[in-house]
Amino acid sequence: LWNNSLQFYEKIQAHGFVQGILDGTLPKESFQFFLEQDRQFLNTFDERLSVIVSKSPASLRQELSGILE
């Protein structure tokens, strides 16, 4: 798996955003934008996951409740 993914890992490591975080040159506004986008994604993910769990069988909800809390 790692060998098949190495090219993607290297591209991620070379990305300007990642390099800017690593060397301290990423503009504050870029990082703030990233954080806001991440917040929106996580909120939406949480909402959708809650809907999925609420529509699942009770036995599965009970199993998932321990994981999701």
Side-chain angles (χ1 to χ4, degrees):
L1 180 63
W2 180 249
N3 289 334
N4 293 335
S5 304
L6 187 57
Q7 65 181 352
F8 301 109
Y9 173 78
E10 290 171 347
K11 286 181 181 180
I12 291 168
Q13 291 298 310
H15 191 276
F17 186 85
V18 174
Q19 289 299 309
I21 290 174
L22 291 172
D23 64 19
T25 60
L26 184 71
K28 182 178 178 180
E29 297 78 20
S30 296
F31 192 66
Q32 288 173 326
F33 180 79
F34 163 77
L35 289 177
E36 176 59 24
Q37 292 299 304
D38 197 47
R39 183 190 66 77
Q40 289 179 26
F41 168 79
L42 291 173
N43 285 342
T44 301
F45 180 78
D46 181 55
E47 291 168 6
R48 300 303 185 264
L49 188 56
S50 294
V51 170
I52 291 168
V53 170
S54 72
K55 294 183 178 190
S56 64
S59 59
L60 182 59
R61 280 197 309 272
Q62 186 173 2
E63 285 184 49
L64 291 175
S65 67
I67 297 169
L68 301 174
E69 292 177 349

